Amino acid sequence: MRAVLLGPPGAGKGTQAARLTERFGVPAISTGDIFRANVKGGTPLGVKAQEYMNAGQLVPDEVTNAMVRARLAEDDAAQGFLLDGYPRNPEQAVELDSMLADLGVELDVAMEITADFDEVTQRLLKRAEIEGRADDTEPVIRKRLEVYATSTAPLTAFYAGRGLLVQVDGLGEIDEVTERLVAAVAR
Ligand code: ADP
């Protein structure tokens, strides 16, 4: 399976990706996780990404696209992947198409986990208390949601237009949402 996961910050993409990766036997590739690991390790990529992340803005496309292109070329992604957090704007979506064309493969599905902004804001504020992520503060959450609404939400129509979109309600128990996703993909 070759899939992208869409949905606002706090919708549960990372949580669900970790579960779906086991179900489908393909790696979950989270751009946010890769960036955070690089920030933590103090790599040049991390240094470039950090200020954007802390401001709730997208890391520049040329940085992100190169990183994803390299990741998708790794052996474990040859049989499939679940992309979490990429693409995040129409330019990245076009770039993903070009990467997949170069690899000679196609996307099977775009799964969107829906959740309203009030709900996700509450979840992220709660997560802040547990994980202490630098971007889980109220002003940065607001900015991330703004960026989501402006840049990422249009991807729903983009993938729907290709007949690749499935939408699943992100409210409810974690297990329930997983089952909804699995069922939606099987359809
Ligand atoms: P969330 O979806 O909860 O905002 P992520 O872990 O997916 O969290 O992303 C955290 C941050 O990492 C983003 O706010 C952004 O700065 C950066 N980032 C992640 N994915 C991308 C991407 N595809 N393009 C640009 N920046 C990204």
Side-chain angles (χ1 to χ4, degrees), residues 25-39:
V26 295
I29 300 175
S30 159
T31 46
D33 283 352
I34 300 174
F35 282 134
R36 276 185 292 277
N38 278 277
V39 169

Side-chain angles (χ1 to χ4, degrees), residues 2-16:
R2 295 184 176 84
V4 299
L5 266 179
L6 303 171
K13 298 187 299 293
T15 303
Q16 296 301 333

